[in-house]
Amino acid sequence: MAAEETPQETKVSDRGMVTIPADLRQRLDIEPGDKLRWKTDEEGNLSVEVVKQRYGAFDDFEPVSMGGGGSETHDLAGHEDDFAFSENY
């Protein structure tokens, strides 16, 4: 934080929650799903690191066709008449 900026305050709720001021969220690019990592030092000073959580674990993987006409999601492999594998019952 630059020296000329006025410190911002937020109140801790009875459930231990705090609101990050909107201008800080915008400046630090904090979005829903991101995490905050809290650390303290020996003097009791608190620091917070923003951990970006924008993508799922498999977002970089390319989808692979499993065959069929696109609406089929399983390979029934001979179980077409089995109740457990049927979508028609």
Side-chain angles (χ1 to χ4, degrees), residues 60-82:
D60 293 337
F61 286 82
E62 292 294 323
V64 177
S65 173
M66 298 302 288
S71 63
E72 298 165 6
T73 57
H74 325 319
D75 179 5
L76 298 177
H79 299 284
E80 295 85 357
D81 296 326
D82 188 332

Side-chain angles (χ1 to χ4, degrees), residues 12-75:
V12 179
S13 76
D14 58 351
R15 294 181 58 201
M17 293 192 240
V18 296
T19 300
I20 303 167
D23 63 319
L24 287 177
R25 289 193 315 267
Q26 292 168 354
R27 188 168 4 128
L28 298 173
D29 192 30
I30 299 172
E31 294 184 359
D34 289 346
K35 295 181 179 183
L36 301 178
R37 185 170 295 147
W38 306 84
K39 297 179 187 178
T40 57
D41 63 18
E42 296 80 28
E43 291 84 38
N45 297 310
L46 176 67
S47 65
V48 181
E49 176 185 0
V50 178
V51 181
K52 304 293 183 188
Q53 296 290 317
R54 305 290 169 82
Y55 307 104
F58 300 104
D59 283 352
D60 293 337
F61 286 82
E62 292 294 323
V64 177
S65 173
M66 298 302 288
S71 63
E72 298 165 6
T73 57
H74 325 319
D75 179 5

